[in-house]
Amino acid sequence: MTDPIKQVSSRPLPALPGHSYHTRRLSEDTINIVTPASVHFYLSSHPEILEQFVTDVVPYETVERWMAKKNKHASENKRLSVVPVCAIYSQSNIKHVQNALVDGSKTDNEITSLLYNLCAVMSNSIKADEFLYYTLAAGGKSLVKYKVASTASDTISSSMQFLIPVGKYTTLAGHVACSREAIFTTDVVEDDRFPEGTGSPGSNVRSALAVPLLSGKDLIGILEFTRYWESPPLSKNDLQIVIAMASWTGIALSQLKTNMMLVKQTELNDFLLQITRDIFDDLTGTESLVAKIMAHTKLLVDADRCALFMLTEDKSQLYAEVFDEGKKDDEGNSIFSKSTNSIRFPSDKGIAGHVAQTCEVVNIPDAYSDHRFNRDIDMKTGYTTRNLLTMPIICKNKVLGVVQMVNKKNGTVFTNADEMSFKTFAVYCALALHYSKMYRLTIRQQKVLQVTLEMLSYHAKCGEDDLNKLRRYPHIKEIPEDFQLYSFYCDDYEAQLPQLYIYMVQKLFGPDTFDLSSLCSFILTIKKNYREVAYHNWDHAFTVCHCMFTVLLSMIESEEGCPFDLLEQQAFMVATIAHDIDHRGYNNDFFNKCKEPMAALYSTSTMEMHHFRYTCTVLQQQDNQILGHLSREDYKKILQYIEHAILATDLTFFMPNQKRLSHRLENNSLDLNVWEHRQDVKAILVTVCDMCAVCKNWDVQQNVAKLIYEEFFFQGDEEKKRGLEPIPMMDRARSDQIPKQQVGFINFVSPAYKLIAMIFPCCQPLLDGLRENLDNWQRIACGKEPGMWEVDKSRRKP
């Protein structure tokens, strides 16, 4: 940098003695001394005096001799002052020059190098004796002179120690960087705006100009040109040339940066597509996903190193298991290694901790001068951190981790553009990490489920002793007299119910349709998987299945015959015996109101869907494959029939089905050959069988009602514990309303029995039993026969 004191002490004396109109005065010691230097300076400062003297006094021949000498001297000076420029500009093919410039401007360092060469071109065009190009440093608070690397190991970072502050009344370049306006001066030393002179070393700088290089609103650098005392001073024409070239350069640079941003965005989009593929190709490999994120982050912001710290589940620590050691493979790709000793530190420590706690973006141009920087990692790795860009990775308003980009390459600092680029990328990083984690959890849950199913399969199987006994004696010795009547109730035949189921199946389909050994295992497994709840238990399942058996047998033995094919009949017998398997004693509304896990599995018909899925699980067990004799097509079809039958036990489907059937019967348009008609009839038939307890003898109906209300009250008690208000039917405090509720319920379902009796006359006994029980409940509700129902007996014993 020019030393003003040295410049004053060594420069020529400023004026001739005795001339009062001089702008600069000599000291008293030199006022009477006339030297060649003082005359030279005076004439240089007053060219109009020299011109008048030459015109009036000097002969023409002398002037010609002077001009010849002047031209020769100027030619020599020009040869000496030409600064070598980049070889790119030596080509005559403009297209080749443009392509070379584009290819050589893909990184910030390459652009800076091209700008330096452009400075050389400007310097030659205005015949400057020296030029300097400054770049920004320390977050734009300082300038640094660009230095061309002379060796492979020499980089711009070596000049970072010579920082020039940005501000007025400093250096010429510092002043321009602050004002962002072009400045021209014919006398650097005497210009009070630049007390620290220019960036040129030595003392021979006479005039200078400096121009800011702007790209939009961003300051890219400062161009500084100087001439020595031996040369004429720079002029305003020189300033205009530099301003014109710098302005067009700024516009071109803006377009270039826009193009580079588009290229980077394209690269980012390509990476996002690639990382999406990576997520589905290798969702379980967190390390490989983290390595890919780190690799692209480095390329995105041109960082030397990158670190990704994940936040622990309790948010107490940040840790890193994949490390960037700055090594590259043969193809130039960064190598990331996984260490057995991960780096861990408290989540409130260091810059990464600060970002994890506050979710702020932290861009630090000088890491060691920031008190938040944690030097422990540098001490462990032996790496020196200069500057940092640290940003959070956030998904669903929760911090998953922190990405730290270390040391912007080429000695520069991370910019706002780097921040914006990574913010976009961070969204996809968050999604990738989140869904990778979710996928691993899902895989783990699947494994847990697989183990659970294996355990369930083992414990849900029937006991070997019971199975062997049933296989030895599958046939019941004596069939109950009333077994083929709707009034049959299974309460007195608990031990024989598996044998009675086998009897029903073989009675309908013959002894050879189902493998007897598999049928024994199937029915015992179904029985074991009914829970010991008050009403929806094994006895209820058998009662419903027996009602369906009676209906089908009556149809088969009637003159009209059974309108359902063998697959439909078999589906009825499987579905009715399993339609409430694993019932927990709660209705669908309870699971939804209490947000039980079961409700999350199925959007509608929660328990009915669970019963069907459970039935399929039992049927698929090796010893229970009673449908194994069916073809692939028939097997698929019978499962659809079973599903339809089990879902029909959901009373939310009852009213729509009943209305459609009523309308068809009224219009005499019911046709069982039409698929929709047939499905509605089958659904109503299953509903009738499911509620057949209302058609049993009065003593059975009373007993069943007590069991139903015991289960209802159990659910109501549980809902009260959870702060919910149960419906009146499930409120133990309203148990005196049971007769009225039963009257209402039977009136609600009676249309189904009327319809089914109209369609299938063999079902008339069901309607007759319903009407008899309805009459009994009405008499109790009206107080005519209070002794027929004792309310206290319905209460659940503590």
Side-chain angles (χ1 to χ4, degrees):
M1 185 182 299
T2 304
D3 188 339
I5 298 177
K6 290 183 178 180
Q7 285 185 347
V8 171
S9 62
S10 62
R11 65 186 293 177
L13 293 177
L16 290 174
H19 291 268
S20 59
Y21 56 85
H22 288 223
T23 57
R24 294 174 177 81
R25 296 182 179 181
L26 302 178
S27 65
E28 293 182 358
D29 296 335
T30 61
I31 194 66
N32 295 317
I33 300 176
V34 177
T35 65
S38 64
V39 174
H40 184 278
F41 177 78
Y42 175 81
L43 293 177
S44 297
S45 302
H46 300 82
E48 69 280 2
I49 300 297
L50 176 61
E51 182 180 356
Q52 186 65 40
F53 176 78
V54 171
T55 302
D56 296 342
V57 178
V58 180
Y60 179 78
E61 295 79 5
T62 303
V63 173
E64 279 192 335
R65 189 173 67 255
W66 286 355
M67 288 300 300
K69 186 176 181 182
K70 176 68 175 179
N71 290 336
K72 181 179 179 182
H73 181 70
S75 178
E76 292 176 352
N77 285 342
K78 183 176 181 181
R79 287 196 300 272
L80 291 173
S81 64
V82 172
V83 180
V85 296
C86 183
I88 293 175
Y89 304 114
S90 63
Q91 300 184 47
S92 59
N93 190 317
I94 301 300
K95 188 63 178 177
H96 289 172
V97 175
Q98 291 175 341
N99 291 337
L101 289 174
V102 171
D103 293 339
S105 59
K106 297 190 176 172
T107 66
D108 289 343
N109 187 46
E110 290 174 338
I111 292 175
T112 303
S113 177
L114 288 175
L115 290 176
Y116 178 84
N117 281 290
L118 187 60
C119 273
V121 174
M122 293 184 190
S123 178
N124 289 334
S125 66
I126 64 172
K127 298 181 177 61
D129 292 320
E130 187 177 359
F131 75 91
L132 291 172
Y133 178 63
Y134 300 87
T135 59
L136 297 175
K141 296 181 180 180
S142 300
L143 298 175
V144 60
K145 287 188 284 186
Y146 180 76
K147 178 182 178 182
V148 180
S150 58
T151 64
S153 61
D154 191 13
T155 64
I156 187 173
S157 60
S158 61
S159 62
M160 285 293 292
Q161 55 184 320
F162 302 110
L163 294 177
I164 300 171
V166 171
K168 294 184 178 180
Y169 304 105
T170 54
T171 62
L172 174 62
H175 190 97
V176 171
C178 180
S179 65
R180 298 198 176 189
E181 293 181 357
I183 291 179
F184 162 70
T185 179
T186 58
D187 193 335
V188 174
V189 175
E190 293 299 324
D191 199 319
D192 296 335
R193 295 173 296 176
F194 325 118
E196 297 183 23
T198 67
S200 300
S203 58
N204 202 26
V205 174
R206 177 183 184 180
S207 60
L209 65 85
V211 176
L213 184 58
L214 300 173
S215 176
K217 295 182 180 180
D218 297 330
L219 179 64
I220 305 301
I222 303 295
L223 314 176
E224 183 180 279
F225 304 92
T226 58
R227 281 188 187 170
Y228 303 147
W229 280 100
E230 293 79 8
S231 303
L234 291 165
S235 65
K236 290 184 178 180
N237 185 57
D238 298 327
L239 178 64
Q240 291 175 358
I241 292 174
V242 174
I243 289 176
M245 297 180 73
S247 298
W248 281 106
T249 300
I251 294 172
L253 198 57
S254 295
Q255 295 300 317
L256 175 63
K257 290 208 168 185
T258 300
N259 183 65
M260 289 176 66
M261 288 178 64
L262 291 175
V263 171
K264 281 192 174 183
Q265 186 63 48
T266 301
E267 293 174 352
L268 177 59
N269 292 340
D270 292 341
F271 174 76
L272 296 177
L273 290 174
Q274 184 60 46
I275 201 170
T276 302
R277 297 188 190 99
D278 292 341
I279 292 172
F280 292 100
D281 290 343
D282 188 18
L283 279 172
T284 55
T286 306
E287 291 79 13
S288 61
L289 181 61
V290 168
K292 287 183 174 72
I293 290 173
M294 292 169 64
H296 191 74
T297 300
K298 289 175 62 176
L299 295 174
L300 190 67
V301 300
D302 202 22
D304 182 56
R305 298 280 182 93
C306 180
L308 176 56
F309 300 99
M310 300 299 295
L311 195 63
T312 56
E313 290 294 333
D314 60 2
K315 299 182 180 181
S316 64
Q317 286 187 318
L318 286 167
Y319 68 93
E321 295 179 338
V322 179
F323 301 97
D324 179 8
E325 298 179 357
K327 299 178 181 178
K328 294 182 181 289
D329 58 19
D330 295 337
E331 297 180 356
N333 299 317
S334 297
I335 298 176
F336 300 93
S337 60
K338 178 174 170 50
S339 175
T340 55
N341 299 321
S342 61
I343 291 180
R344 290 178 177 265
F345 55 91
S347 60
D348 58 351
K349 187 175 182 181
I351 296 174
H354 174 80
V355 171
Q357 295 292 325
T358 63
C359 298
E360 296 177 354
V361 176
V362 175
N363 190 347
I364 298 176
D366 187 358
Y368 277 69
S369 65
D370 195 295
H371 68 279
R372 296 168 296 182
F373 178 65
N374 178 18
R375 302 189 183 191
D376 293 347
I377 298 177
D378 276 12
M379 294 175 64
K380 290 180 180 179
T381 61
Y383 184 72
T384 301
T385 303
R386 296 194 313 272
N387 45 55
L388 291 168
L389 175 58
T390 310
M391 303 183 73
I393 294 180
I394 302 173
C395 184
K396 295 184 177 181
N397 297 322
K398 294 182 179 179
V399 177
L400 299 181
V402 174
V403 173
Q404 202 165 65
M405 291 142 276
V406 184
N407 291 354
K408 179 80 170 182
K409 289 184 178 179
N410 309 318
T412 55
V413 295
F414 295 106
T415 63
N416 291 335
D418 293 330
E419 294 181 21
M420 295 304 298
S421 296
F422 186 77
K423 277 184 179 179
T424 302
F425 177 54
V427 174
Y428 292 89
C429 291
L431 291 174
L433 291 170
H434 174 73
Y435 286 107
S436 175
K437 179 180 178 182
M438 291 299 100
Y439 181 80
R440 293 195 310 275
L441 289 176
T442 301
I443 293 298
R444 184 179 182 279
Q445 291 302 319
Q446 288 178 347
K447 299 299 182 183
V448 172
L449 178 61
Q450 184 177 356
V451 173
T452 303
L453 289 176
E454 291 174 356
M455 294 169 58
L456 176 64
S457 177
Y458 175 80
H459 293 286
K461 289 181 179 179
C462 57
E464 289 295 327
D465 293 341
D466 293 337
L467 179 58
N468 292 332
K469 181 179 179 181
L470 183 60
R471 282 173 173 170
R472 286 196 300 270
Y473 308 105
H475 304 295
I476 190 169
K477 293 180 180 180
E478 185 177 354
I479 304 299
E481 293 182 3
D482 60 344
F483 189 71
Q484 295 185 15
L485 300 177
Y486 292 113
S487 59
F488 172 79
Y489 190 56
C490 64
D491 199 34
D492 296 330
Y493 301 94
E494 185 68 33
Q496 290 80 36
L497 294 185
Q499 292 174 312
L500 286 172
Y501 179 79
I502 294 173
Y503 166 77
M504 291 189 294
V505 169
Q506 293 188 341
K507 179 73 175 175
L508 292 173
F509 311 118
D512 300 324
T513 300
F514 297 105
D515 177 70
L516 184 57
S517 177
S518 298
L519 190 61
C520 292
S521 177
F522 169 76
I523 191 58
L524 288 178
T525 302
I526 290 291
K527 176 185 177 183
K528 184 176 182 180
N529 284 277
Y530 270 93
R531 301 193 182 200
E532 294 182 2
V533 294
Y535 174 68
H536 291 94
N537 49 33
W538 162 248
D539 289 346
H540 166 68
F542 187 88
T543 300
V544 175
C545 185
H546 170 265
C547 184
M548 180 60 73
F549 161 75
T550 307
V551 171
L552 293 176
L553 187 63
S554 300
M555 291 178 179
I556 292 171
E557 295 176 349
S558 67
E559 294 182 1
E560 296 81 5
C562 184
F564 305 112
D565 61 34
L566 281 177
L567 278 183
E568 290 174 313
Q569 295 176 45
Q570 292 171 10
F572 279 140
M573 293 304 292
V574 173
T576 51
I577 197 66
H579 78 282
D580 274 331
I581 191 171
D582 196 44
H583 200 291
R584 283 90 187 282
Y586 304 112
N587 64 11
N588 290 336
D589 190 49
F590 174 85
F591 289 99
N592 293 322
K593 287 192 300 185
C594 298
K595 298 181 179 180
E596 291 290 313
M598 184 75 73
L601 294 177
Y602 311 106
S603 57
T604 58
S605 303
T606 303
M607 286 307 300
E608 289 75 21
M609 285 300 301
H610 177 63
H611 301 324
F612 170 67
R613 300 289 186 189
Y614 209 119
T615 301
C616 291
T617 300
V618 173
L619 286 170
Q620 290 169 359
Q621 291 176 352
Q622 185 174 359
D623 294 338
N624 303 328
Q625 295 179 5
I626 60 173
L627 306 177
H629 64 285
L630 298 175
S631 66
R632 188 183 191 87
E633 187 64 28
D634 285 345
Y635 184 81
K636 182 179 179 180
K637 189 180 295 185
I638 198 172
L639 286 182
Q640 292 174 345
Y641 293 161
I642 292 171
E643 180 181 16
H644 176 260
I646 292 178
L647 291 180
T649 62
D650 185 351
L651 286 181
T652 58
F653 298 130
F654 165 66
M655 285 303 294
N657 289 345
Q658 182 261 323
K659 288 181 179 179
R660 287 195 297 269
L661 278 180
S662 296
H663 180 72
R664 289 166 186 155
L665 286 173
E666 290 173 2
N667 296 334
N668 197 28
S669 61
L670 180 64
D671 185 355
L672 291 181
N673 293 318
V674 177
W675 174 257
E676 291 80 7
H677 296 195
R678 192 180 190 87
Q679 290 295 90
D680 287 345
V681 170
K682 288 164 63 177
I684 287 291
L685 180 58
V686 173
T687 301
V688 164
C689 293
D690 188 28
M691 298 181 293
C692 67
V694 298
C695 308
K696 300 291 184 182
N697 295 333
W698 175 242
D699 59 333
V700 174
Q701 162 65 176
Q702 287 186 91
N703 182 59
V704 171
K706 293 174 185 178
L707 295 175
I708 290 174
Y709 276 94
E710 181 178 343
E711 189 171 291
F712 282 174
F713 292 157
F714 180 77
Q715 175 175 325
D717 294 342
E718 184 63 27
E719 289 178 347
K720 288 181 179 179
K721 290 179 183 178
R722 302 190 183 200
L724 302 174
E725 182 67 25
I727 61 175
M729 189 177 289
M730 296 184 178
D731 190 351
R732 191 181 299 279
R734 301 183 184 184
S735 58
D736 57 332
Q737 299 179 10
I738 289 177
K740 292 182 180 180
Q741 292 169 353
Q742 284 297 99
V743 170
F745 175 74
I746 294 176
N747 281 326
F748 172 72
V749 300
S750 61
Y753 290 88
K754 294 177 184 178
L755 288 172
I756 212 68
M758 293 173 64
I759 300 171
F760 305 117
C762 62
C763 295
Q764 182 64 38
L766 290 172
L767 179 59
D768 295 338
L770 176 140
R771 287 171 172 169
E772 183 178 343
N773 287 326
L774 175 60
D775 182 62
N776 288 335
W777 284 116
Q778 286 175 333
R779 282 187 291 159
I780 296 173
C782 294
K784 294 180 180 180
E785 298 287 347
M788 294 179 66
W789 176 256
E790 297 180 25
V791 177
D792 291 341
K793 290 185 179 180
S794 70
R795 297 184 183 275
R796 184 166 61 92
K797 296 180 180 180

